[in-house]
Amino acid sequence: MRILQLVENLSLGDGIGNHTILTHRLLERAGYHVETYAGGIGEKISPRLAKPFQEDMRVEPEDIILLQFRLRGRISELV
């Protein structure tokens, strides 16, 4: 089982970005396999923390999806 976080844009310093990063780190510390995918990734975000979102990404039935969003966008519409 993985926990997949999906977010339109991930950057440092805004509410959604900070929340998504904190959630990722807390879930990892709790022992979960977490992957964060974003439509746009800020230049200060580590590649270890987030990967570019792809519409054809593999999602297994046992995966948990966390959708982090403030406005509707391409990712939220797909989910």
Side-chain angles (χ1 to χ4, degrees):
M1 175 193 72
R2 298 176 300 163
I3 297 177
L4 307 176
Q5 284 199 109
L6 307 178
V7 62
E8 292 291 335
N9 294 295
L10 183 62
S11 58
L12 296 175
D14 69 16
I16 295 296
N18 290 344
H19 176 78
T20 301
I21 292 166
L22 178 62
T23 301
H24 183 106
R25 290 180 177 153
L26 289 172
L27 289 169
E28 275 189 333
R29 286 185 196 143
Y32 293 99
H33 178 99
V34 183
E35 295 178 13
T36 298
Y37 294 91
I41 301 173
E43 59 187 43
K44 294 183 180 181
I45 301 292
S46 164
R48 188 197 74 74
L49 183 65
K51 302 172 187 173
F53 176 79
Q54 297 179 8
E55 290 183 20
D56 62 347
M57 63 186 276
R58 183 181 54 85
V59 178
E60 300 295 334
E62 65 272 6
D63 291 341
I64 296 171
I65 296 175
L66 296 179
L67 177 62
Q68 307 285 8
F69 76 101
R70 63 179 156 241
L71 299 173
R72 277 183 48 188
R74 182 175 57 102
I75 295 172
S76 61
E77 289 176 3
L78 284 171
V79 173

